[in-house]
Amino acid sequence: MIQNRELTMDDYLSMLRRRAKVILIPALIAPLIGFLVSYFFTPKFTSSSTILVEQQKVPEKMVQPIASQDLTSRMETLQQQVLSQPNLQKVVDKVFPGRNSQEASEIIDDIRLNMRVEPVVSDLSLSQKKPGQTPPTPAFNVTYTYRNAREAQQICNELTGLLIQENQLSVQAAAHGTSAVLKTGLDDAKNRLDELDKNLAQFKQKYVGQLPGDEENNLKILSGLNSQLEANTQTLNRAQQDKTYTESMLAQQLGAWKSAQSSTNPQTLEKQLSDLQTALLGLQARYTDDHPDVIKTKADIAEVKKKLAEINKASTDPTDTSNDKASATEPPEIRQLRLQVHQYSDLITAATRDQGRLQKEIAVYEGRVSLSPAVEEEYKGLTRDYDNQQKTYQDLLAKKSDADLTANMTNQEEGERMFPLNPADLPDAPSFPNRWLFAAGGLGAGLALGGGLAMWLELRDSSIRTEADAEAALELPLLISVPWVGVVAEPVKNGKFKFWNHDKNPEEHKLTIGV
């Protein structure tokens, strides 16, 4: 091929015509070789089963599904669980009894390499697809490839059953595990709530009347107590003044009355007492002590002594009520004054007692009012923790109820479940090797080989065939050309093989390139 020349479509077609045999021969031989090579491989058979996923029968608005994970991702997890050593060992022992540990290990490795779980995407699932989400998967295909068709079918059936069993165990474990976790959390929340409730009750008992909301009542009560204390103080002062005045009036009237009573005059009584004692001595000289005159005189002496003692005592203590009461001969005015003094004394005693009580109550309520901000802050902290814990407890209680419903739904097979829609089939033809695919591969390889050889031959070919080749090779313009003077090829009959014989066109062979 002449370098430094731009090739046209006619040039490429000319190359193709010149190198057609180089391309076609490998392209025809290679598929046959590929087809024959496929017989050197051991045939393998693929068995397939279908698992249908049935959604839960209870609406999700009433009972939330236990499995929130995407079904495709969950199937990948289930597949890994199925491919665990214990599960596959059971399958090998069941399908291939009597195999030693090395053979069983090789079969297990083969199962792990050749098992496939693929979702079935149907038109219905595509129609239910929501924007931004993967389409729901109603079914999965489980395939397994092995060198024996019957054993491939048996293993595929075992793997399908294990997938369904692992899914059921996983759903039940999730349901019961969720319920157990929520029950533990619910118990802890209840214990914490009881503890906070106890602390709150103790706090209320400790600060009764000082809790938030009691401050206004405390201020009203304190105002009322201050008013009562003021009125009580006025009553006490007035009673003390009245008592003092009444006592002075009593003393005046009592002195006047005593002075007016001659019979009760102490000097008179002393003289009368002396006379009676003289008379008694005369009577005792004449009579015995049992004589009536002696007895009467003794009684008179005793009476006079009694009166004299009372008068002396009354003169020293005018407020002594016991002596006043004993004096039954006092006038009503004096007795009335004595009664008033008693009443004022009782009133002062009661007012003093009330004053002390009111002062104590006022101190208590003033203490409550002064402690209200600190108590309110601590009370808010307790109630806030109690409310939060109560809300947590209510949430856990609702979730526990939902989990119990979900567990019951799962136990009653009303939730999501899987079952084999189509059992594993018995393959009637090997899935590998695909002989036609080998032949197609050979065809592609032959074409690539032929094309490469043709390209290599063209690159090494330096023949000058056209005027453009001459101009490119000599790098000089073409001034004239002379016709071909050799034998002219025969024209193409009936247009057949026109493409392959294009180079033998008589018109082209009449020209010879000249410089």
Side-chain angles (χ1 to χ4, degrees):
M1 186 173 63
I2 302 302
Q3 304 293 329
N4 302 325
R5 189 172 79 82
E6 184 177 356
L7 299 177
T8 62
M9 183 58 66
D10 294 335
D11 295 329
Y12 287 114
L13 292 176
S14 298
M15 292 179 189
L16 184 61
R17 284 193 291 269
R18 288 194 299 271
R19 309 301 176 185
K21 294 180 180 178
V22 177
I23 296 173
L24 290 178
I25 292 174
L28 294 175
I29 296 175
L32 181 59
I33 296 174
F35 189 82
L36 296 176
V37 167
S38 64
Y39 283 95
F40 290 94
F41 292 93
T42 302
K44 293 185 177 180
F45 299 85
T46 300
S47 178
S48 176
S49 64
T50 304
I51 297 176
L52 182 64
V53 180
E54 185 182 54
Q55 301 300 323
Q56 70 177 31
K57 300 176 183 177
V58 182
E60 294 185 2
K61 294 182 179 178
M62 300 179 64
V63 179
Q64 291 293 327
I66 192 66
S68 58
Q69 189 181 8
D70 180 66
L71 187 56
T72 303
S73 301
R74 185 146 54 91
M75 285 299 293
E76 293 178 357
T77 304
L78 294 175
Q79 183 180 359
Q80 297 302 320
Q81 294 175 354
V82 168
L83 295 179
S84 63
Q85 182 72 23
N87 286 332
L88 293 184
Q89 186 66 45
K90 294 178 182 177
V91 174
V92 172
D93 293 341
K94 184 176 181 179
V95 180
F96 304 99
R99 298 295 178 94
N100 55 38
S101 59
Q102 184 177 359
E103 293 175 345
S105 178
E106 293 176 353
I107 295 173
I108 288 174
D109 293 339
D110 184 80
I111 293 175
R112 286 172 176 167
L113 290 175
N114 295 290
M115 176 188 177
R116 298 288 183 272
V117 179
E118 297 176 347
V120 177
V121 181
S122 62
D123 295 337
L124 179 61
S125 61
L126 291 176
S127 63
Q128 295 176 352
K129 176 184 177 182
K130 297 181 180 179
Q133 296 183 355
T134 56
T137 306
F140 288 87
N141 283 333
V142 180
T143 59
Y144 175 67
T145 303
Y146 194 63
R147 56 181 175 271
N148 183 280
R150 178 63 64 184
E151 293 171 349
Q153 182 191 25
Q154 293 176 354
I155 293 176
C156 188
N157 269 331
E158 294 296 330
L159 295 176
T160 303
L162 282 176
L163 274 174
I164 296 173
Q165 180 182 355
E166 289 293 336
N167 177 69
Q168 186 177 4
L169 293 176
S170 175
V171 172
Q172 291 179 352
H176 291 90
T178 303
S179 181
V181 169
L182 289 176
K183 185 178 183 305
T184 303
L186 191 62
D187 293 339
D188 294 340
K190 185 178 183 304
N191 294 332
R192 177 61 179 163
L193 186 62
D194 292 340
E195 182 181 357
L196 291 175
D197 194 9
K198 181 180 178 181
N199 294 337
L200 189 59
Q202 291 177 351
F203 183 84
K204 288 181 178 179
Q205 186 177 5
K206 180 179 179 180
Y207 296 100
V208 61
Q210 303 178 41
L211 300 174
D214 295 336
E215 183 178 2
E216 186 176 357
N217 293 331
N218 291 335
L219 291 174
K220 289 181 180 179
I221 294 173
L222 183 61
S223 178
L225 290 175
N226 285 326
S227 299
Q228 292 180 16
L229 179 61
E230 184 178 357
N232 180 268
T233 302
Q234 292 177 359
T235 301
L236 180 60
N237 294 333
R238 188 167 52 252
Q240 289 176 346
Q241 292 175 0
D242 293 342
K243 180 184 177 184
T244 303
Y245 177 74
T246 304
E247 286 177 347
S248 65
M249 291 294 296
L250 176 61
Q252 291 177 3
Q253 292 191 11
L254 186 59
W257 177 72
K258 287 181 178 179
S259 61
Q261 295 295 324
S262 57
S263 59
T264 59
N265 192 337
Q267 294 178 356
T268 303
L269 292 175
E270 288 178 357
K271 184 178 181 304
Q272 186 178 357
L273 178 61
S274 178
D275 293 343
L276 289 173
Q277 288 176 348
T278 302
L280 178 63
L281 292 174
L283 291 173
Q284 287 177 343
R286 289 182 296 171
Y287 307 109
T288 63
D289 291 340
D290 295 332
H291 193 274
D293 291 339
V294 175
I295 294 173
K296 181 177 180 306
T297 303
K298 288 181 178 179
D300 293 340
I301 291 171
E303 183 67 24
V304 172
K305 286 182 178 179
K306 182 178 180 181
K307 289 182 179 179
L308 187 61
E310 291 178 353
I311 292 171
N312 292 332
K313 187 176 182 180
S315 61
T316 58
D317 187 10
T319 61
D320 189 355
T321 56
S322 62
N323 292 334
D324 294 340
K325 291 180 179 178
S327 178
T329 58
E330 288 179 351
E333 294 79 5
I334 293 177
R335 291 200 298 270
Q336 182 64 33
L337 289 174
R338 289 183 184 278
L339 179 60
Q340 289 180 0
V341 170
H342 282 292
Q343 291 177 348
Y344 286 134
S345 297
D346 294 340
L347 181 59
I348 290 171
T349 303
T352 303
R353 185 174 60 251
D354 292 341
Q355 187 181 40
R357 178 181 59 78
L358 291 173
Q359 288 175 348
K360 290 181 181 178
E361 292 183 0
I362 287 173
V364 170
Y365 280 96
E366 286 179 346
R368 290 180 179 179
V369 172
S370 63
L371 290 176
S372 293
V375 173
E376 182 177 1
E377 183 178 359
E378 188 175 357
Y379 181 76
K380 285 183 177 178
L382 286 174
T383 53
R384 180 173 57 252
D385 294 342
Y386 180 79
D387 293 340
N388 292 335
Q389 191 62 31
Q390 190 175 27
K391 183 179 179 182
T392 301
Y393 177 77
Q394 295 295 338
D395 292 342
L396 289 174
L397 187 63
K399 291 179 180 177
K400 175 68 168 49
S401 178
D402 293 341
D404 291 341
L405 284 176
T406 305
N408 293 333
M409 180 182 68
T410 303
N411 294 332
Q412 297 173 5
E413 297 185 352
E414 297 293 333
E416 178 191 287
R417 66 189 186 98
M418 297 182 182
F419 59 89
L421 179 64
N422 294 323
D425 57 350
L426 179 63
D428 52 358
S431 59
F432 180 84
N434 189 339
R435 305 191 192 285
W436 293 111
L437 184 61
F438 271 74
L443 176 60
L447 288 174
L449 178 62
L453 288 175
M455 183 61 67
W456 180 73
L457 292 175
E458 284 296 326
L459 290 174
R460 292 179 61 82
D461 188 2
S462 58
S463 301
I464 299 174
R465 294 185 173 86
T466 62
E467 296 175 0
D469 290 342
E471 290 179 353
L474 300 177
E475 297 181 353
L476 293 174
L478 183 64
L479 299 179
I480 190 171
S481 62
V482 295
W484 179 262
V485 293
V487 180
V488 178
E490 295 180 358
V492 178
K493 297 180 179 179
N494 299 328
K496 296 181 181 179
F497 308 108
K498 182 177 181 180
F499 177 79
W500 308 106
N501 299 319
H502 186 72
D503 289 341
K504 300 177 181 178
N505 192 314
E507 296 297 330
E508 291 182 359
H509 290 279
K510 291 179 180 179
L511 299 179
T512 300
I513 299 173
V515 179

